[in-house]
C-alpha cells in the first residue's frame, strides 16, 4: 500500500523555498520533444490534409474510415443502442446544466454616456466552434454535455463535436438530443490541427473548446498562435484542494480526494487543515477506501503528488488556497458559505460536506470545464459568454458632436492625429 505520510507538511515551519515547492504542480512533460512532435503533426496536416489525418487515425487509434464524419443515420440510431438508465441520467444532467446556463444569457446593454451620445453592447454567437471531447478508457459523456449545452444556448450556428474513434453510442446520443449533426471521429493533436486549419473535407472553426491530454493541450496552444482560431483556456491536469475543520468527516474528505485523484496520473489533491489528527484520520480513510476501488493504478500514481498541510488557522488556509488557485475547492467546514468572502482564486467551489466534487462533474448544473494549473487566478469556468462575442455600437446626435468637438480636437492634435481632427472639423463646418 502506498505510504503518503511523507506528504504531510507543517506550513509554519517551512522555509519560503519549501513552501513554493510544496505548492508546486506535478511536472508536466511538455518538453521540447513533445512541442516538436506536435509542431510536425500540425505542419503535416497543413500540408497533406485528409491524407495526414487518415495516417494519424491509423497510427494513434488503430482506426480506418472512409469519412471522418459520422452519418446522421448513425447518430439518430444511437438512441436505440443506449440504456434507459443512461437516458434518464442524461435527462436530469441536461436539465440542470441547461437551467443554470440559460440564466447566463445576457441582454444587450445601452448607456447614454453624455447627452446625445449612446454606447451599446450587442451579443453575437461565434459562428463556428469545435468541441473536443476526450476519450481515455471510457467515453466522457459529461464533457460532451458541458461543452454542447452552452454552445447551443449561445446560438452558435456551426458546431462540430470531435472525439477520438471509435466514438461511443453514448456520445452520439448526446449529439442527437442536442441536435449536433457534425461529428468528427478524430482525436489527438491532429484533430486540433484539422479544426484550426481545415482540410479537403474538414471545415475549420473559429474557436476550439474542451480538455485533452498533453498533446491536445500543446496543439491547442500552438494553433492559437499560428492560425485565426482561438481556444477556450490553457489546460493542465485536474486538481482539488480541500479545506477542513475539526468537525469535518474524514471519510467524506478521503472520498473526495480519491475521486479527484483518479482523473489522471498527473492529477493533484491537497488537504489544508488546522489539526494534525484530521490529516491522520483522512489518510487512514484513504488507505481503507482504496481497498474498495478495483482499478486503482491511476490513483496510486497521482497520490504521490498529494499534499497534506497543517496550518495555524482557517484564514491561513484560504491564503494558501488563493496562492495555489485550485481548479476545485471543497470547503469541509461548518457554515462554509460564510467563508466565500475569503476566496479570490478558484475554478469552482463546493460548499459543505454534502456537496462532493463528483456531483459537480456530472449533475449540479455548473460547468466542469475549469481553469487548471494555477490559471484560476485569471480564468473562469466555461460559460455561455465564452461562445459569444461582444460588438460595441456607438451613436452621436449632431448636437452632441458639436458639444464635444473641441475636446476631440484637443486630444487628437495632442497625439498628432491631424486627420482625426479633420474628420471632426469637416462635420462642424457642414453644420
Amino acid at each position: 500500500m502506498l505510504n503518503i505520510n511523507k506528504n504531510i507538511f507543517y506550513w509554519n515551519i517551512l522555509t519560503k523555498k519549501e513552501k513554493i515547492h510544496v505548492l508546486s504542480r506535478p511536472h508536466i512533460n511538455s518538453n521540447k520533444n513533445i512541442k516538436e512532435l506536435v509542431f510536425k503533426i500540425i505542419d503535416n496536416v497543413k500540408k497533406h490534409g485528409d491524407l495526414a489525418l487518415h495516417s494519424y487515425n491509423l497510427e494513434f487509434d488503430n482506426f480506418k474510415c472512409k469519412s471522418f464524419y459520422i452519418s446522421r443515420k448513425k447518430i439518430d440510431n444511437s438512441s436505440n443502442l443506449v440504456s434507459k438508465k443512461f437516458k434518464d441520467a442524461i435527462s436530469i444532467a441536461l436539465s440542470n446544466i441547461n437551467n443554470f446556463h440559460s440564466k447566463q444569457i445576457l441582454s444587450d446593454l445601452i448607456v447614454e454616456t453624455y447627452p446625445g451620445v449612446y454606447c451599446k453592447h450587442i451579443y453575437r454567437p461565434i459562428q463556428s466552434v469545435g468541441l473536443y471531447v476526450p476519450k481515455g478508457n471510457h467515453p466522457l459523456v459529461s464533457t460532451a454535455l458541458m461543452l454542447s449545452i452552452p454552445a447551443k444556448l449561445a446560438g452558435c450556428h456551426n458546431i462540430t463535436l470531435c472525439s477520438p474513434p471509435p466514438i461511443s453510442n453514448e456520445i452520439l446520443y448526446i449529439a442527437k438530443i442536442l441536435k449536433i449533426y457534425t461529428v468528427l471521429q478524430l482525436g489527438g493533436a491532429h484533430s486540433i490541427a484539422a479544426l484550426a486549419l481545415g482540410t479537403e473535407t474538414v471545415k475549420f472553426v473559429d474557436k476550439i473548446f474542451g480538455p485533452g491530454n498533453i498533446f491536445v493541450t500543446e496543439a491547442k496552444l500552438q494553433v492559437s498562435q499560428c492560425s485565426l482560431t482561438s481556444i477556450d483556456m490553457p489546460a493542465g491536469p485536474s486538481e482539488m484542494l480541500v479545506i477542513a475543520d475539526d468537525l469535518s468527516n474524514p471519510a467524506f474528505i478521503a472520498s473526495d480526494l480519491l475521486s479527484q485523484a483518479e482523473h489522471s496520473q498527473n492529477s493533484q489533491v491537497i488537504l489544508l487543515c488546522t489539526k494534525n489528527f484530521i490529516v491522520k484520520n483522512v489518510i487512514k480513510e484513504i488507505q481503507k477506501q482504496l481497498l474498495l476501488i478495483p482499478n486503482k493504478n491511476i490513483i496510486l500514481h497521482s497520490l504521490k503528488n498529494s499534499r497534506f498541510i497543517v496550518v495555524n488557522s482557517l484564514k491561513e488556509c484560504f491564503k494558501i488556497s488563493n496562492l495555489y488557485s485550485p481548479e476545485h475547492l471543497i470547503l469541509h467546514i461548518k457554515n462554509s458559505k460564510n467563508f466565500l468572502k475569503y476566496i479570490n482564486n478558484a475554478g469552482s467551489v463546493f460548499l459543505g460536506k454534502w456537496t462532493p466534487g463528483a456531483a459537480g462533474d456530472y449533475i449540479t448544473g455548473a460547468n466542469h470545464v475549469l481553469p487548471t494549473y494555477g490559471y484560476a487566478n485569471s480564468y473562469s469556468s466555461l460559460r455561455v459568454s465564452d461562445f459569444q462575442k461582444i460588438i460595441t455600437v456607438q451613436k452621436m446626435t449632431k448636437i452632441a458632436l458639436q458639444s464635444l468637438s473641441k475636446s476631440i480636437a484637443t486630444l487628437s492634435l495632442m497625439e498628432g492625429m491631424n486627420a482625426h481632427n479633420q474628420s471632426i472639423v469637416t462635420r462642424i463646418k457642414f453644420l
Side-chain angles (χ1 to χ4, degrees), residues 33 35 56 79 84 90 108 127 133 176-177 187 195 199 249 251-252 255 277-278 349 353 366 429:
N33 291 336
K35 290 179 185 294
Y56 288 130
S79 60
K84 183 180 182 301
I90 288 295
D108 289 350
Q127 290 298 302
V133 180
K176 177 190 181 313
I177 60 177
L195 289 172
T199 68
N249 186 318
F252 288 5
S255 67
F277 78 86
I278 301 172
V349 181
K353 61 184 178 181
K429 284 183 177 178

Side-chain angles (χ1 to χ4, degrees), residues 367-380:
N367 207 291
H368 80 199
V369 179
L370 304 167
T372 61
Y373 223 65
Y375 283 105
N377 65 357
S378 56
Y379 283 82
S380 308

Side-chain angles (χ1 to χ4, degrees), residues 228-400:
L228 294 177
T229 301
S230 62
I231 61 172
D232 49 357
M233 65 182 81
S238 195
E239 59 203 25
M240 175 183 287
L241 188 147
V242 172
I243 297 177
D245 65 12
D246 299 5
L247 301 176
S248 58
N249 186 318
F252 288 5
I253 296 172
S255 67
D256 281 335
L257 297 176
L258 288 171
S259 71
Q260 192 63 30
E262 74 175 339
H263 274 283
S264 78
Q265 292 188 351
N266 289 315
S267 294
Q268 185 172 52
V269 294
I270 295 177
L271 171 63
L272 293 174
C273 58
T274 57
K275 296 290 191 300
N276 189 53
F277 78 86
I278 301 172
V279 171
K280 295 293 186 182
N281 289 339
V282 168
I283 290 177
K284 284 180 183 177
E285 276 294 331
I286 287 175
Q287 305 284 22
K288 186 191 304 183
Q289 292 181 31
L290 269 172
L291 300 174
L292 306 175
I293 301 171
N295 300 314
K296 58 174 73 72
N297 289 338
I298 290 176
I299 294 176
L300 290 173
H301 194 285
S302 63
L303 280 178
K304 294 176 184 177
N305 306 317
S306 64
R307 301 285 188 267
F308 301 86
I309 304 172
V310 181
V311 300
N312 286 339
S313 68
L314 280 177
K315 283 190 177 181
E316 191 170 17
C317 287
F318 284 95
K319 287 181 181 178
I320 298 169
S321 176
N322 285 326
L323 192 62
Y324 182 77
S325 300
E327 177 191 18
H328 303 88
L329 172 60
I330 299 187
L331 305 186
H332 276 272
I333 53 182
K334 187 178 180 181
N335 300 320
S336 55
K337 186 172 70 173
N338 297 337
F339 290 85
L340 284 173
K341 60 187 175 184
Y342 298 116
I343 300 171
N344 294 323
N345 302 324
S348 192
V349 181
F350 300 76
L351 297 178
K353 61 184 178 181
W354 302 115
T355 316
D361 280 346
Y362 298 107
I363 216 160
T364 61
N367 207 291
H368 80 199
V369 179
L370 304 167
T372 61
Y373 223 65
Y375 283 105
N377 65 357
S378 56
Y379 283 82
S380 308
S381 65
L382 194 70
R383 55 205 183 279
V384 172
S385 61
D386 290 313
F387 293 86
Q388 297 175 314
K389 53 192 176 183
I390 300 172
I391 301 171
T392 57
V393 181
Q394 299 144 81
K395 178 177 174 57
M396 299 176 76
T397 64
K398 59 184 178 182
I399 295 174

Side-chain angles (χ1 to χ4, degrees), residues 54 88 103 105 197 242 258 302 320 330 368 391 406 420 423:
H54 282 296
D88 290 344
K103 304 300 187 295
I105 298 173
L197 303 172
V242 172
L258 288 171
S302 63
I320 298 169
I330 299 187
H368 80 199
I391 301 171
K406 289 183 179 178
H420 281 60
S423 72

Side-chain angles (χ1 to χ4, degrees), residues 408-424:
I408 298 171
T410 299
L411 296 173
S412 60
L413 292 173
M414 178 180 285
E415 292 187 349
M417 298 294 187
N418 293 295
H420 281 60
N421 178 54
Q422 191 60 41
S423 72
I424 306 301

Side-chain angles (χ1 to χ4, degrees), residues 86-116:
F86 173 76
K87 289 180 182 178
D88 290 344
I90 288 295
S91 177
I92 295 171
L94 191 153
S95 176
N96 291 350
I97 298 167
N98 189 76
N99 188 26
F100 181 63
H101 287 72
S102 63
K103 304 300 187 295
Q104 299 173 14
I105 298 173
L106 300 172
S107 302
D108 289 350
L109 169 72
I110 184 166
V111 177
E112 186 177 17
T113 60
Y114 185 88

